[in-house]
Amino acid sequence: MAEHPGATAVLDPVHATDEQPSAAVVDEPGARGRGRLRNAGWALSGAAVLGVGYVPAARVPIIADDFQALQETYAITDGSLWEALTFGFSAGQQAGHSNPVGQTLGALYHFLAYRLSASAGVSPQYYDVLATLAMIALGVAGAASVLVWGLRRSPALRVQFWPTFALLSAVTAATLQLHVPWSDDPVVSYGPAGWGSTAIGMWTLAWALRAIAPGNRDKRSIVICSALGVMAVWYYEMLVGAIAAVAVAVVLTALTAVDRAQIRRRCLVLMGTAVALPAVMFVGGRVLLAVPSDESGYGGTTLALGRAGASAWVDGMLGALPGGGWAYLSESAGAPALDGGAVAVAAALVLLVSVIGYAWLSAAAGPTAGRTSPRRPSGCPRGAAPGSCRPPPSSRSGRSPPRPTR
């Protein structure tokens, strides 16, 4: 199997028996234990760099309607969890909305923010920071899964999950420190809308790629992908973009896969349950709950075409980039103060990103790239089937073979 210098090769567990039948012979418990330790190291380094990168963002307070919502939700429902859930579900079906799942989970998020912070006697900022950081990690894990399963059809580009998670965490952390405090992203102050949507979209696409991966015939991946697709458009209408990505992946796989005769049926099922059904739900919700924009109390999902719509889209995209709001925010709030804490956070972030990048490149360029394979006995011709060549007697017993007698 060829190995790409920019990726870490991994033995596909689905095809381990077909590709290297004797690999399990040399997979000793010690090697498995070392593999678990390496994976734990990758996971911890990814979590650490995300935590350090989120420190500047964690200092941004809960403001405006996000701060009002956690108090209002608890007051309206009189401290009842069930009332909070029904309140959110109803709000998700009002004019201008079509996201009962998102509103229900949002009401639960605000309810718990008030209840837990009040019970512990601490600021709801702690709850918000920890919950958002968990959603960020979940979104990065979804992106890593998209790469792992998306590259299954390219043997030279197969990557391992945990090294990819650590690498994407480093990339995310490097921009995360600028994103929340210094951008105009409208959902940045409310984790479930921004990072919650990212996690759901990434995992929907990841499970779709897993369902159509070579050699995969399980029904679980189709069921999970379909459930996530339905949940996505009822969580946040903008996640219809994730459904479009699933459609592209399924169509391309059905047209280009070598084993398309076997995979075409799975692609057809996914097109119905994970693409067509969520699309119908999205369009139906928009039509049934559509109201004029001037009568809607929510403009977050307003659609517009023409020059005005294109201009608003460009401004929104540029402002949502990390550091996109630097000029405006510096003018209105003043330039950031450079102190010892900021320098320490920056130094720790640079160190962690550098270590992860160096470790990932070293693992990708290694001779075995983390894969265990049997050693070819001396004298065995290259390309011979595993197990067809037996080592000479001297290598088995440690003694020279007996000389033939005349």
Side-chain angles (χ1 to χ4, degrees):
M1 183 185 300
E3 295 180 7
H4 191 276
T8 303
V10 61
L11 185 61
D12 188 351
V14 177
H15 298 292
T17 304
D18 296 333
E19 292 183 1
Q20 293 188 0
S22 59
V25 177
V26 298
D27 189 14
E28 301 175 354
R32 291 196 297 268
R34 289 189 296 271
R36 294 191 185 100
L37 288 177
R38 283 194 297 268
N39 289 337
W42 287 116
L44 291 176
S45 61
V49 74
L50 283 178
V52 174
Y54 196 64
V55 168
R59 302 178 62 184
V60 177
I62 307 175
I63 59 175
D65 56 342
D66 296 319
F67 184 69
Q68 176 187 351
L70 63 92
Q71 302 180 65
E72 189 178 59
T73 302
Y74 197 86
I76 291 177
T77 60
D78 197 23
S80 170
L81 176 59
W82 176 251
E83 291 294 331
L85 296 176
T86 55
F87 168 75
F89 186 80
S90 300
Q93 303 174 76
Q94 295 176 358
H97 279 284
S98 180
N99 58 339
V101 173
Q103 290 290 327
T104 302
L105 295 179
L108 175 63
Y109 182 88
H110 290 309
F111 181 89
L112 292 178
Y114 188 93
R115 168 68 70 85
L116 295 178
S117 60
S119 300
V122 298
S123 170
Q125 184 79 2
Y126 292 98
Y127 169 89
D128 188 70
V129 166
L130 293 177
T132 302
L133 190 57
M135 286 182 276
I136 292 174
L138 190 61
V140 173
S145 298
V146 168
L147 289 177
V148 170
W149 288 103
L151 296 175
R152 286 287 163 139
R153 294 190 177 275
S154 300
L157 295 177
R158 289 179 182 174
V159 295
Q160 293 178 330
F161 174 79
W162 287 115
T164 306
F165 170 79
L167 183 66
L168 293 182
S169 296
V171 174
T172 303
T175 55
L176 188 63
Q177 48 145 349
L178 293 175
H179 185 60
V180 178
W182 299 103
S183 67
D184 295 328
D185 191 342
V187 298
V188 78
S189 61
Y190 181 50
W195 289 103
S197 299
T198 300
I200 293 175
M202 286 296 181
W203 280 108
T204 302
L205 181 57
W207 278 102
L209 293 173
R210 176 169 179 167
I212 55 179
N216 191 9
R217 298 294 179 265
D218 71 310
K219 298 179 180 179
R220 182 185 63 165
S221 54
I222 294 180
V223 172
I224 294 177
C225 177
S226 303
L228 285 175
V230 171
M231 175 185 174
V233 294
W234 273 6
Y235 182 85
Y236 195 30
E237 298 92 330
M238 297 302 182
L239 279 173
V240 69
I243 305 304
V246 171
V248 171
V250 170
V251 170
L252 290 179
T253 300
L255 295 177
T256 63
V258 176
D259 55 343
R260 56 182 177 271
Q262 300 178 4
I263 208 70
R264 193 167 289 171
R265 180 180 299 178
R266 298 175 66 85
C267 292
L268 183 61
V269 172
L270 281 177
M271 283 297 295
T273 59
V275 176
L277 179 58
V280 169
M281 294 171 57
F282 169 77
V283 174
R286 297 291 301 182
V287 171
L288 294 177
L289 301 175
V291 295
S293 58
D294 56 348
E295 298 179 11
S296 175
Y298 176 70
T301 56
T302 301
L303 300 178
L305 300 176
R307 181 177 298 179
S311 176
W313 184 85
V314 171
D315 292 341
M317 292 298 102
L318 293 179
L321 292 175
W326 185 280
Y328 169 77
L329 295 172
S330 296
E331 180 181 352
S332 59
L338 183 62
D339 54 18
V343 173
V345 170
L349 184 60
V350 170
L351 177 63
L352 285 171
V353 170
S354 301
V355 169
I356 291 175
Y358 177 78
W360 190 86
L361 291 175
S362 299
T368 59
R371 183 181 62 193
T372 304
S373 58
R375 179 177 299 177
R376 181 171 55 90
S378 59
C380 183
R382 185 179 298 274
S388 62
C389 296
R390 301 187 62 186
S394 57
S395 62
R396 295 198 307 264
S397 60
R399 296 175 299 181
S400 301
R403 296 181 179 179
T405 57
R406 295 182 180 179

